C-alpha cells in the first residue's frame, strides 16, 4: 500500500509563507500518488522477494541500533547540564531521547530526579524502555512525535506548568544515520525510507513515495525550501527523468541520480564546516527527510508543548543542526511570528516593534522567555574534533518567565 495519507497534513498552519509557491498542491499530489501506486508497489514486491525474511531484517535492525546506541556521543552534553541545572526532586522531559546520552548525563549529575523520555522512533523507545527497567522510579518512556507529546504527558499524569526542564536535541540520531535499513544516509545502500516513526505508522509516505509520485514542480519546492538547495530544479528534473525508466527505491540509487546531474568535478565540490568535501546529494536527503517527517511543524508544536508544561522558572534547551531549525527556535524564544519573512532580520523586527508609534505598550505581546546566553552556543574545537557530527550544532536555552 502506498502511504499517502500524511500528505494531507496542514503544513501551511505554521509556515504559510513557504507555501505561496504551491509547495502543497494537495489535490495534484494525491492524484500523482494514486497513479504511481501500482508501479511502485509491484517493484517493491519484486525487491522484497529477493531479500531475507522480514523477521531476520527486524532482528538485524535491532542489533545495529543497539550497537550504535553504545557508540553514540551526545552533543554539547556539558553545556546542556549547565543550562538545565538539575536539582534533587525535579522533573525533566527529554523530547528527543535517541540513544539516551543526555538522559544518562542528567541522571549522572543528579540521580534523584524524575525524567520522561520521549521519542517517535520505535528503536529509540526500545532503548528508553530498557533504561526505564533499570531505573523504574526515575525514567518513564513515551513513544510518539512532538505533536502527540501533550496527550502522552497528560496520560502519564504530568500536568501543565509542572516540569522543571525540557530538552530538544533535533535532527537525526546516530542510530538512524548508521542503520542502512532506515534509509537516512547514502553512505551505505538501503531502502529509501527516512521515516523516523519506522513502520509504526504504515500510512506515512516514505522518501521513495515522495520522489516517485510528486511532479517536478513539487519536488523542486521541497528541495529548495527544506534543503536550501540552489540546484533544486536541476535535481528535480534528473529525478523525473530517472523514475520514468525505473522506480527510485534505494538510497545510493537516488544519490547517483543526483550526482549524475552534475559534472564529476562538482560532486564533492561543497565543503562542510570542517572544510571536508560533502556529496552533492546531502541537501537533497535533508530536504526529503524534513518533508517526510514534517519536522519543522513538529518542532514548532514541540516548542509550544514545552512552554505549556514548564513551570515559571523552568528551563528549555534546544540543540539544532541546520538553519531552518535554528530560525524557528530563535523566533520562538524572541516571540517573533513564524509567518515573518526570513529576510526581515531579528534586529529589524525588534527595532520596528520598539519604535512603532501605532501600538500601545499594553498591546504588545509580553516576553515569555529570558535567554540564558546572549548569543547562540556552538561546540568548541575539541568536541568537534572528537565528534565531527557536532560541527553544525547550535544550542539555545531560555528560562520561562
Amino acid at each position: 500500500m502506498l502511504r499517502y495519507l500524511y500528505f494531507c497534513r496542514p503544513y501551511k498552519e505554521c509556515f504559510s509563507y513557504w507555501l505561496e509557491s504551491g509547495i502543497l498542491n494537495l489535490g495534484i499530489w494525491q492524484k500523482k500518488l494514486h497513479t504511481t501506486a501500482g508501479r511502485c508497489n509491484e517493484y517493491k514486491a519484486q525487491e522484497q522477494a529477493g531479500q531475507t525474511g522480514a523477521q531476520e531484517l527486524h532482528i538485524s535492525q535491532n542489533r545495529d541500533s543497539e550497537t550504535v546506541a553504545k557508540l553514540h556521543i551526545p552533543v554539547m552534553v556539558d553545556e546542556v547540564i549547565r543550562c538545565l541545572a538539575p536539582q534533587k526532586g525535579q522533573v525533566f522531559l527529554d523530547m528527543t531521547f535517541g540513544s539516551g546520552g543526555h538522559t544518562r548525563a542528567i541522571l549522572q549529575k543528579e540521580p534523584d530526579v524524575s525524567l520522561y523520555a520521549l521519542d517517535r522512533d520505535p528503536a529509540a523507545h526500545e532503548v528508553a524502555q530498557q533504561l526505564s527497567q533499570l531505573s523504574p522510579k526515575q525514567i518513564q518512556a513515551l513513544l510518539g512525535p512532538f505533536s502527540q507529546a501533550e496527550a502522552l504527558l497528560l496520560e502519564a499524569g504530568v500536568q501543565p506548568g509542572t516540569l522543571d526542564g525540557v530538552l530538544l536535541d533535533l535532527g537525526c540520531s546516530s542510530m538512524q544515520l548508521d542503520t542502512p535499513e532506515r534509509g537516512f544516509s547514502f553512505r551505505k545502500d538501503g531502502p529509501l525510507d527516512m521515516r523516523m516513526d519506522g513502520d509504526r505508522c504504515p500510512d506515512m509516505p516514505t522518501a521513495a513515495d515522495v520522489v516517485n509520485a510528486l511532479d517536478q514542480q513539487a519536488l523542486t519546492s521541497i528541495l529548495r525550501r527544506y534543503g536550501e538547495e540552489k540546484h533544486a530544479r536541476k535535481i528535480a528534473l534528473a529525478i523525473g527523468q530517472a523514475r520514468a525508466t525505473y522506480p527510485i527505491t534505494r538510497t545510493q540509487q537516488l544519490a547517483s541520480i543526483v550526482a549524475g546531474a552534475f559534472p564529476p568535478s562538482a560532486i564533492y565540490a561543497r565543503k562542510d564546516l570542517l572544510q571536508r568535501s560533502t556529496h552533492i546529494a546531502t541537501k537533497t536527503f535533508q530536504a526529503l527527510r524534513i518533508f517526510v517527517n514534517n519536522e519543522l511543524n513538529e518542532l514548532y508544536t514541540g516548542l509550544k508543548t514545552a512552554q505549556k508544561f514548564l513551570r515559571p522558572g523552568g528551563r528549555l534547551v534546544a540543540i539544532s543542526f541546520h538553519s531552518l531549525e535554528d530560525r524557528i527556535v530563535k523566533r520562538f524564544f524572541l516571540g517573533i511570528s513564524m509567518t515573518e519573512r526570513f529576510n526581515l532580520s531579528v534586529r529589524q523586527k525588534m527595532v520596528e516593534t520598539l519604535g512603532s508609534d501605532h501600538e500601545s505598550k499594553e498591546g504588545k505581546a509580553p516576553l515569555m522567555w529570558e535567554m540564558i546566553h546572549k548569543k547562540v552556543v556552538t561546540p568548541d574545537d575539541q568536541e568537534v574534533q572528537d565528534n565531527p557530527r557536532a560541527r553544525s550544532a547550535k544550542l539555545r536555552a531560555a528560562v520561562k518567565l
Side-chain angles (χ1 to χ4, degrees), residues 52-71:
T52 58
Q55 184 176 4
E56 294 179 359
L57 180 60
H58 179 71
I59 294 173
S60 174
Q61 289 182 14
N62 286 342
R63 288 174 178 171
D64 288 345
S65 296
E66 291 172 2
T67 301
V68 173
K70 294 177 181 179
L71 299 176

Side-chain angles (χ1 to χ4, degrees), residues 129-340:
Q129 286 182 314
Q130 293 172 0
L131 191 59
S132 176
Q133 292 172 1
L134 298 175
S135 306
K137 295 182 180 180
Q138 297 167 298
I139 299 175
Q140 182 169 341
L142 304 175
L143 176 61
F146 295 156
S147 55
Q148 297 175 6
E150 179 174 352
L152 291 169
L153 288 169
L154 291 173
E155 185 179 347
V158 182
Q159 296 301 312
T162 60
L163 295 178
D164 296 286
V166 176
L167 170 65
L168 294 92
D169 181 11
L170 305 168
C172 262
S173 69
S174 294
M175 285 197 302
Q176 293 165 335
L177 289 171
D178 294 338
T179 305
E181 293 82 5
R182 302 299 300 275
F184 287 98
S185 173
F186 50 83
R187 292 181 182 274
K188 294 181 180 179
D189 192 38
L192 192 58
D193 193 327
M194 298 195 193
R195 293 171 299 163
M196 289 186 175
D197 298 272
D199 291 324
R200 191 172 68 90
C201 302
D203 289 331
M204 185 176 180
T206 66
D209 293 328
V210 175
V211 298
N212 285 294
L214 302 187
D215 59 35
Q216 292 180 22
Q217 181 181 359
L219 288 175
T220 299
S221 296
I222 290 172
L223 299 180
R224 182 177 293 129
R225 304 298 183 184
Y226 300 127
E228 298 180 302
E229 174 58 71
K230 63 181 180 180
H231 300 298
R233 190 181 301 276
K234 178 186 291 189
I235 293 172
L237 177 61
I239 290 173
Q241 293 174 342
R243 72 188 183 189
T245 304
Y246 216 60
I248 304 170
T249 61
R250 310 289 294 182
T251 56
Q252 291 188 350
Q253 180 189 8
L254 176 60
S256 297
I257 291 168
V258 174
F262 299 88
S265 60
I267 295 176
Y268 286 98
R270 294 175 176 173
K271 305 290 184 181
D272 64 14
L273 295 179
L274 299 179
Q275 294 303 306
R276 302 181 306 180
S277 297
T278 59
H279 196 279
I280 194 70
T282 300
K283 290 186 176 182
T284 297
F285 272 67
Q286 172 187 302
L288 291 172
R289 189 202 79 217
I290 290 174
F291 178 77
V292 165
N293 295 287
N294 194 20
E295 290 183 29
L296 302 186
N297 286 308
E298 284 287 332
L299 169 57
Y300 184 59
T301 301
L303 291 169
K304 292 193 295 183
T305 300
Q307 178 174 294
K308 181 175 182 177
F309 279 83
L310 278 170
R311 64 169 177 81
R315 294 165 175 247
L316 173 57
V317 179
I319 303 174
S320 59
F321 288 86
H322 58 76
S323 59
L324 299 178
E325 292 174 338
D326 184 55
R327 287 169 189 157
I328 294 170
V329 174
K330 178 172 62 176
R331 286 166 177 263
F332 181 80
F333 279 145
L334 295 176
I336 298 175
S337 172
M338 295 294 167
T339 58
E340 290 289 340

Side-chain angles (χ1 to χ4, degrees), residues 4-135:
Y4 67 88
L5 298 181
Y6 273 53
F7 279 85
C8 297
R9 287 177 175 270
Y11 287 87
K12 60 182 179 181
E13 177 182 349
C14 300
F15 303 101
S16 59
Y17 60 100
W18 282 356
L19 310 176
E20 294 173 357
S21 62
I23 187 170
L24 281 183
N25 193 338
L26 297 179
I28 296 177
W29 287 17
Q30 278 196 13
K31 182 178 179 180
K32 291 289 185 180
L33 285 160
H34 278 298
T35 56
T36 56
R39 189 164 65 100
C40 288
N41 287 337
E42 181 180 353
Y43 183 81
K44 288 177 183 178
Q46 295 173 357
E47 183 184 57
Q48 290 172 357
Q51 296 177 344
T52 58
Q55 184 176 4
E56 294 179 359
L57 180 60
H58 179 71
I59 294 173
S60 174
Q61 289 182 14
N62 286 342
R63 288 174 178 171
D64 288 345
S65 296
E66 291 172 2
T67 301
V68 173
K70 294 177 181 179
L71 299 176
H72 176 71
I73 304 174
V75 174
M76 303 181 72
V77 63
D78 292 337
E79 188 61 35
V80 168
I81 298 301
R82 278 194 290 269
C83 293
L84 290 176
Q87 299 178 19
K88 183 177 181 179
Q90 289 188 329
V91 183
F92 294 90
L93 169 63
D94 186 345
M95 297 189 75
T96 48
F97 178 81
S99 58
H102 289 111
T103 291
R104 291 184 177 92
I106 293 171
L107 293 175
Q108 184 176 3
K109 178 66 176 179
E110 177 50 71
D112 190 10
V113 298
S114 298
L115 202 149
Y116 293 89
L118 172 73
D119 206 293
R120 67 189 295 178
D121 191 325
H125 179 65
E126 185 175 339
V127 176
Q129 286 182 314
Q130 293 172 0
L131 191 59
S132 176
Q133 292 172 1
L134 298 175
S135 306

